[in-house]
Amino acid sequence: MAAPVSLLTFVFAIVTLSDRIQAQKGGFSVDMIHRDSPNSPLYNHLDTTYDRLTNALRRSFGRAHRLNPISAPTMDVQADIIANSGEYLMNISIGTPAFDIIAIADTGSDLIWTQCKPCSKCFKQNDPLFDPTASSTYKTISCSARQCTHLEGSSCSSYHSCRYSVSYGDGSYSDGDVAADTLILSSTSGPPVILPNVVIGCGHHNGGTFSENESGIIGLGGGDVSLISQLGDTIAGKFSYCLLPLTETGNSSKMNFGSDAIVSGNGAVSTPLTKIDPPTFYVLTLEAISVGTNRINFLYRPFGTNEGNIIIDSGTTLTLLPEDFYSQVESSVSSMIDATKVKGPDGLSLCYDAITEFAVPDITVHFTGADVKLQPLNTFAMVTETIACFTFAPILDLAIYGNLAQMNFLVGYDTEKQTVSFKPTDCTKN
C-alpha cells in the first residue's frame, strides 16, 4: 500500500491503573504533526513552503499506486506503504520500561511494526532500535494463536513462533516476529492510555525507501491488528481528526479517540462506509461532484457493486480521480475561471498565474447522504509564489479522497456504525 498519509505525535509515560481506566472510559486526543512541519524530525529547513508542497504532491501518486486494493496482492495489502509516502508521523511508546519510537501513521495499513534488535539487515535509523529482550512485557506469539493464523503473510518459525512478512510495490519490505507488548499513548486531554498485549511486528530484516528518522509503520486501517481495532471498546470504534490548512506550518493538528471523536452539530453530515476485502481501507461512495451548478455524476464501480468507489485517506495529499471523470471535472472548473493558464508541477494539469487573484468556482463533493462543500483552500494550492494549481488530479484507476480536500473539516470515523462524518471546522481552534 502506499499513499498519502498524516503525522501524529505522542509522548508517553506510565500511569496508574486507575488513571488508565479513567482515560479509557472517556475520550482522548493526541497531536498530529505533518511530516513537513518544523516540529517533525523529517523537516528540512532548506526547503521552501513551495518545495514541501510539491514534494507532497509527488508522494500522492506513489502512494496511490501502492494503495490499490484491486491489483495489489493480498499479502502486500496487509501493510502496504512506503516510508516517505506518509504525510503524518506518530510517536508511541512500547515495552516495559517504555521505549519511544516514531513511525508513519497510516490509515491505509494495519500492522504496527518497528525495527528491532538483533537486525540482520535494517535500513539506517538515527534513533536506537527497540530491544525486545529489554522489555519485561514482550512475548512472541505462537503459530497456533489466532493473532497469527488471521494475519496475512504470516508463517511459522523453526521455534514454532509466528513470523510476518510484508513487501511493497517499490521494493520496500519488513520481515520479523509477531509479538505482543505494552503500548502507551499520551493524551493532550487527560492521562496517558496504556494498552497491554498489543500485537506488533518486531522487524529483524527491513529495507527500502524509509527515512533515517523513522522506525516503521503504525497501521490505522480497519483490519484486526491495526491500532484502531486493537483499541477496541476503549474508543467504541471512533476516531476523528482535524487537519490544519497548509499555512499553519509549525502547529499541530489533532486526532481524537472515543467520546472525543464524535462529530455532530450544525453542518455535520455523514456517509456510509463500505466494507471491502481486505478490510484495511476506508471506502466511501462518491455519487457526483458539482462545479457551480454543473453536477457531474461518478459512475465508477471498481468493486462490481453500486456501493464503494473511493478511498478516503489522510496520507494522500491530492484527490485522485479516474482519468475520464477527472477530465470532465477539470473542464468544468476551467470554464469558470478567468485567469491565465500556466505549466505547473508534473501531474497537475490545471494551473494558473496567481500574481493577480482570481475567483474559483464552488465545488461540492456528493457522497451518499453527505454533500461536502469545499472551500478554495481545499481545491487550489500555491505551488510557487506565482502559480496556483487545482488539487485534484487524474489517476489510471483508483479514486482517493486526499487530505487537502479534508483540511478545515472535522472528519470522524465510526467503525461500529460504519460511517464517516464531515463538519466544516476552523481546525486552528479545534
Side-chain angles (χ1 to χ4, degrees):
M1 171 224 96
V5 179
S6 317
L7 277 190
L8 308 167
T9 295
F10 306 93
V11 179
F12 309 116
I14 301 294
V15 294
T16 66
L17 181 60
S18 61
D19 283 338
R20 184 181 81 205
I21 293 173
Q22 178 185 350
Q24 292 178 347
K25 281 184 177 178
F28 63 96
S29 302
V30 298
D31 286 334
M32 296 180 67
I33 309 299
H34 194 278
R35 58 169 287 133
D36 290 327
S37 162
N39 297 329
S40 165
L42 304 184
Y43 179 74
N44 183 348
H45 71 280
L46 297 178
D47 284 346
T48 67
T49 300
Y50 308 112
D51 290 334
R52 295 183 189 106
L53 176 59
T54 299
N55 291 337
L57 300 181
R58 288 196 192 100
R59 290 191 295 268
S60 283
F61 295 103
R63 180 167 174 88
H65 294 143
R66 288 173 287 271
L67 263 181
N68 194 339
I70 301 170
S71 60
T74 303
M75 186 182 76
D76 294 349
V77 168
Q78 184 66 29
D80 193 7
I81 189 175
I82 63 165
N84 286 339
S85 65
E87 292 306 297
Y88 294 88
L89 301 178
M90 180 186 287
N91 281 336
I92 63 173
S93 292
I94 56 176
T96 305
F99 183 90
D100 294 343
I101 67 170
I102 186 164
I104 298 163
D106 185 16
T107 56
S109 70
D110 294 327
L111 185 64
I112 305 164
W113 67 265
T114 186
Q115 297 202 112
C116 292
K117 293 181 178 179
C119 211
S120 60
K121 182 179 181 182
C122 279
F123 56 86
K124 185 177 180 181
Q125 178 181 315
N126 290 335
D127 292 333
L129 299 185
F130 175 62
D131 183 355
T133 64
S135 172
S136 63
T137 47
Y138 178 92
K139 50 185 176 289
T140 57
I141 290 175
S142 71
C143 299
S144 59
R146 180 186 59 84
Q147 297 96 324
C148 184
T149 58
H150 288 194
L151 180 65
E152 294 289 348
S154 64
S155 61
C156 196
S157 75
S158 58
Y159 300 100
H160 304 290
S161 62
C162 187
R163 301 274 300 178
Y164 77 91
S165 179
V166 290
S167 59
Y168 312 104
D170 68 336
S172 298
Y173 59 88
S174 177
D175 302 324
D177 296 315
V178 180
D181 207 340
T182 298
L183 184 147
I184 310 169
L185 306 177
S186 77
S187 170
T188 62
S189 56
V193 176
I194 299 177
L195 302 168
N197 298 315
V198 171
V199 176
I200 62 170
C202 203
H204 299 292
H205 188 213
N206 322 292
T209 58
F210 295 92
S211 161
E212 297 176 3
N213 295 299
E214 302 154 355
S215 62
I217 302 291
I218 298 171
L220 299 171
D224 289 345
V225 296
S226 78
L227 177 62
I228 301 303
S229 296
Q230 294 194 74
L231 281 166
D233 293 341
T234 301
I235 61 170
K238 297 177 179 64
F239 70 99
S240 68
Y241 50 74
C242 203
L243 302 181
L244 290 167
L246 293 174
T247 53
E248 297 294 324
T249 56
N251 294 320
S252 299
S253 299
K254 301 291 182 186
M255 175 170 270
N256 312 301
F257 297 90
S259 59
D260 285 4
I262 295 172
V263 177
S264 61
N266 185 40
V269 294
S270 297
T271 187
L273 278 165
T274 297
K275 291 184 178 182
I276 65 166
D277 188 23
T280 302
F281 305 103
Y282 297 107
V283 179
L284 309 179
T285 302
L286 175 63
E287 296 182 346
I289 292 178
S290 289
V291 182
T293 59
N294 181 26
R295 181 182 172 107
I296 306 165
N297 291 326
F298 188 51
L299 304 178
Y300 181 56
R301 298 292 180 264
F303 306 113
T305 68
N306 291 329
E307 297 179 347
N309 57 13
I310 188 168
I311 291 173
I312 179 170
D313 182 38
S314 63
T316 301
T317 302
L318 297 169
T319 291
L320 302 173
L321 303 171
E323 288 181 324
D324 290 349
F325 181 69
Y326 171 80
S327 295
Q328 297 177 64
V329 174
E330 181 191 286
S331 177
S332 187
V333 172
S334 176
S335 70
M336 299 183 192
I337 293 179
D338 183 14
T340 302
K341 289 184 179 180
V342 295
K343 180 176 174 54
D346 289 345
L348 298 182
S349 58
L350 187 61
C351 299
Y352 293 95
D353 185 335
I355 295 177
T356 302
E357 288 189 12
F358 58 89
V360 302
D362 291 335
I363 295 179
T364 301
V365 179
H366 303 284
F367 297 110
T368 297
D371 294 340
V372 180
K373 183 178 180 181
L374 303 180
Q375 300 300 313
L377 67 85
N378 301 120
T379 57
F380 276 84
M382 297 294 297
V383 296
T384 73
E385 291 183 356
T386 60
I387 298 176
C389 292
F390 189 39
T391 60
F392 291 33
I395 197 75
L396 287 177
D397 44 25
L398 181 66
I400 300 175
Y401 193 64
N403 63 40
L404 291 181
Q406 300 176 56
M407 289 180 176
N408 267 2
F409 283 91
L410 184 59
V411 183
Y413 298 69
D414 189 328
T415 60
E416 290 188 351
K417 293 183 178 178
Q418 286 291 294
T419 59
V420 172
S421 300
F422 301 87
K423 182 180 181 180
T425 304
D426 182 349
C427 292
T428 62
K429 299 177 181 177
N430 184 259

